[in-house]
Amino acid sequence: MPLPPLETTSPIAWQYTAEGGANLVVSFAGPADSPFSGHALRLRKRKKRAGGVKGGEDAVPSEVDVEFGARIIAPLLGEANVVVMEKVPLSRDWLEELVEDMRAQGVRPAEREAEDEVDLDTPEGVVVEDLIAGRGVIAVEIKPKWGFLPSPTHLSPSTASMKTTYCRTCMHRHYKASDGEGSDGFCPLDLYSGNSARVHKALEQLYGSWMSSEGGINNLRIFLDGKKVLPGNADQASPLDYALDHLTTSGPPASPISRASLFAHALAPTLLRTPALPLLRELQSLLDVLYIEGLASLLSRTTGVDLARHFGPEEVQKLGGQPRLDEWIEWVGRYSPLLGRQQGGESSPLSHEEWDQSKATLESRFLASSTSDEGSPSPPWRDAILAYLLSATFKDCSLIIRLPLDSAASTVGTVKAIDLDPKPMNRLGKYWRMDREIVECWKERLERMEAVGRAGEVRQCREG
C-alpha cells in the first residue's frame, strides 16, 4: 500500500540519524501506529556554492537518483541484499520546517553544516525501511571498502607490483595518514575473505579504531535501541557491552575477553553467512576489470580524452554525458548475464571458473575496436565507463548488520547494503589523480622502509 503524503506527519517527528556525501537521513520518531513507523527518509543534499545549487555538469539526473536502487542495483546485488525504497513527493514548506528544526537542535556535524545542505528544490525524497530503529536491537554500519586486488593485465610496469600486493584501502589509509589523519590497520580483504579468523581480526581492528577515534572513523558506526553509540569509559561496562555479551552467550571464547573480541564474536557469524560480501567483492572486481589505468588508456586511445589532464564539462560531454536512467537500464539488461545474473533470479556468487570467464568476456567487450554486439547502442568505451562508475558505487557502499537481542531469536542477524548511489561522470578525472597520488605516496613509504632495512614489516594484503 502506498504511503500517505509526508505532510500528514509533523517535521519534528523526524529525527536526524546520519548523512553521507550525497544524502541526509532522518528517522521517523512519531506515533507507533503511523504508516511511517519503522521508516527513514533519505533527502538529497547540495553543495553550498554561489546560488546554492549544483553545477549542471555535476548533477545526476533526478530520475536516475530515485530509481537507481530498484532498477540497477537490486538486479545485480540481489533484492534480498538491498532495502526497498519508495519515492515520496516533497513540499518545500515541509522541508524548510524540517531543516530549521535540525538547525535549532544543532544535530548536524559542524563540518557538514559548513559544506552542504538539504536540497530544498528537490521534488522527491526516498522512504526506506529504517534498519537502525527498534528497541532491543544492535545495528552496526560497516563500510567494507574495496574487496579485491587488481589483475596486472592493464597496469603499468611501475605500479603492477604494488597494486597486486597491497590493497587500495591500505594504501589509501597511509595516504590519508600522511595528511594527519589516523590509521586503523583494517584490511578489507580480511573482512571479505570468508575465513573466520581473518573476519574476526578485521572486526577487532575496526572496533579498536572506533574506540581510539572516539567513534570518529567513517567505516564503523554502532547503534543500540535506535540511537548512535559512542565509546564510553574504558574502565566501565556500557549498555553496548551488556548487549554484545548477550549475543555471544552461545559460546564466546574463554574469559577474559576484550571488548573488541566481544564485538567480533557478535558480528562474525552473520558476516560469514551473508552473500552480500562475496557479491560486493565480485561486482567491484568484474566491473572494474580494466582498473582506472586501463580505462584511462582506453579513453585516450579511442576518444582522445586524457584523464591525466583537465577533465571538465567539455570532456564529460565528449564521453556522452552523465548516463540517464534508460541507458542504465539497457546496459544492465545486456551485461547482467555476463555477470552471472539471471532475470528474476536471486543473485549468488560465481564459481572461480565462472568469474574467470566473465572477466575475459568483459575485457573483450570493453576493448573491442567497434561495437561487436548488434544490439548495443553505445561504443565499447562507453560501456566500460558505465561499468567503472557502477563499480565505484559498490566500492563506496555501507552494510547494515541488524542483530536482535531477543533471546528467542537467532544470533545470526540480517545484512542489507545502503548508500548505493550513482556516481557522477565528472569524477573520472579525480579518480585518476587520486590513484596516482596514493601510489606515489605508498611507493615513498616502501622506499623509506627499505632504506632502513624494515621493508619486511610492511604487511602484504592477500585475497581469499
Side-chain angles (χ1 to χ4, degrees):
M1 178 181 296
L3 292 168
L6 279 172
E7 288 75 11
T8 61
T9 68
S10 170
I12 63 174
W14 296 85
Q15 296 184 353
Y16 175 88
T17 300
E19 61 186 293
N23 299 292
L24 181 146
V25 179
V26 290
S27 298
F28 185 74
D33 60 353
S34 168
F36 289 99
S37 179
H39 288 78
L41 173 64
R42 192 183 71 177
L43 301 168
R44 289 294 292 175
K45 300 197 303 183
R46 62 186 176 190
K47 298 292 184 183
K48 288 184 175 179
R49 300 181 180 177
V53 296
K54 290 182 178 181
E57 74 278 2
D58 296 347
V60 172
S62 61
E63 85 281 1
V64 176
D65 180 48
V66 295
E67 296 283 356
F68 197 71
R71 305 295 298 272
I72 311 303
I73 298 298
L76 296 176
L77 191 56
E79 292 184 3
N81 300 313
V82 297
V83 294
V84 176
M85 300 184 290
E86 182 174 336
K87 291 183 292 182
V88 290
L90 293 173
S91 157
R92 186 183 178 96
D93 289 343
W94 189 91
L95 264 183
E96 287 178 340
E97 188 175 345
L98 173 67
V99 170
E100 185 57 38
D101 183 62
M102 286 193 297
R103 185 175 294 117
Q105 294 184 52
V107 291
R108 295 190 67 200
E111 62 274 16
R112 292 287 193 187
E113 190 72 53
E115 181 180 345
D116 51 37
E117 61 191 356
V118 172
D119 187 352
L120 297 176
D121 297 317
T122 186
E124 295 176 314
V126 179
V127 172
V128 300
E129 175 190 0
D130 192 342
L131 299 173
I132 292 170
R135 294 285 299 174
V137 170
I138 290 181
V140 178
E141 179 182 345
I142 292 177
K143 191 179 282 289
K145 307 287 189 178
W146 296 33
F148 69 101
L149 296 173
S151 164
T153 306
H154 305 289
L155 302 179
S156 66
S158 63
T159 66
S161 177
M162 279 186 291
K163 288 183 176 180
T164 55
T165 304
Y166 308 100
C167 80
R168 165 60 181 257
T169 301
C170 287
M171 291 193 291
H172 192 196
R173 183 175 58 251
H174 174 71
Y175 171 80
K176 291 191 294 182
S178 68
D179 286 340
E181 292 192 22
S183 175
D184 62 13
F186 156 70
C187 179
L189 301 192
D190 289 333
L191 191 69
Y192 284 100
S193 68
N195 176 276
S196 179
R198 292 179 65 187
V199 171
H200 276 75
K201 175 184 176 183
L203 290 170
E204 289 181 3
Q205 289 175 326
L206 278 172
Y207 188 86
S209 181
W210 178 76
M211 288 289 293
S212 63
S213 69
E214 299 183 347
I217 61 172
N218 76 339
N219 52 349
L220 178 65
R221 291 189 298 178
I222 303 173
F223 302 84
L224 179 62
D225 296 335
K227 297 180 180 179
K228 186 176 180 180
V229 177
L230 293 176
N233 189 315
D235 298 324
Q236 297 177 356
S238 70
L240 176 62
D241 295 323
Y242 290 120
L244 293 173
D245 186 59
H246 179 85
L247 288 170
T248 55
T249 54
S250 59
S255 296
I257 178 172
S258 70
R259 289 182 178 182
S261 295
L262 200 64
F263 177 78
H265 278 269
L267 266 68
T270 298
L271 289 177
L272 287 165
R273 286 185 56 177
T274 180
L277 277 171
L279 286 170
L280 277 176
R281 177 183 59 196
E282 179 177 287
L283 289 165
Q284 290 176 7
S285 60
L286 285 176
L287 293 168
D288 193 13
V289 69
L290 301 182
Y291 215 67
I292 190 63
E293 288 190 43
L295 180 64
S297 176
L298 173 66
L299 295 180
S300 176
R301 185 172 66 252
T302 56
T303 70
V305 171
D306 186 353
L307 296 183
R309 298 185 178 182
H310 173 73
F311 189 80
E314 290 185 9
E315 288 74 21
V316 170
Q317 291 307 311
K318 188 172 182 179
L319 295 179
Q322 184 68 30
R324 302 195 70 87
L325 183 61
D326 56 352
E327 184 180 9
W328 276 118
I329 293 172
E330 190 279 332
W331 188 96
V332 168
R334 282 190 293 116
Y335 279 93
S336 287
L338 295 180
L339 298 168
R341 278 37 173 187
Q342 302 301 322
Q343 187 172 4
E346 194 51 57
S347 297
S348 58
L350 300 172
S351 67
H352 182 73
E353 293 75 17
E354 290 170 333
W355 188 92
D356 284 342
Q357 183 176 354
S358 291
K359 173 181 177 292
T361 304
L362 288 167
E363 285 179 318
S364 177
R365 287 277 188 95
F366 295 157
L367 297 173
S369 58
S370 61
T371 301
S372 56
D373 180 358
E374 260 185 48
S376 174
S378 54
W381 55 261
R382 176 72 175 178
D383 285 350
I385 289 175
L386 267 66
Y388 184 84
L389 293 176
L390 194 50
S391 177
T393 290
F394 288 119
K395 294 167 186 168
D396 199 36
C397 76
S398 293
L399 295 177
I400 298 287
I401 302 99
R402 186 176 169 88
L403 300 165
L405 299 180
D406 185 344
S407 59
S410 169
T411 55
V412 175
T414 60
V415 179
K416 300 264 187 180
I418 62 169
D419 295 341
L420 289 154
D421 300 302
K423 300 299 182 183
M425 187 185 290
N426 71 343
R427 290 188 186 176
L428 287 177
K430 175 185 175 181
Y431 292 146
W432 167 259
R433 291 191 302 274
M434 183 64 71
D435 182 79
R436 299 289 86 199
E437 292 173 8
I438 289 171
V439 168
E440 187 60 33
C441 183
W442 189 259
K443 179 182 177 183
E444 292 173 359
R445 181 197 182 191
L446 293 178
E447 290 173 347
R448 288 195 302 270
M449 295 295 283
E450 185 174 359
V452 295
R454 297 175 56 193
E457 296 179 22
V458 182
R459 181 185 63 182
Q460 298 186 1
C461 306
R462 59 188 178 93
E463 294 182 292

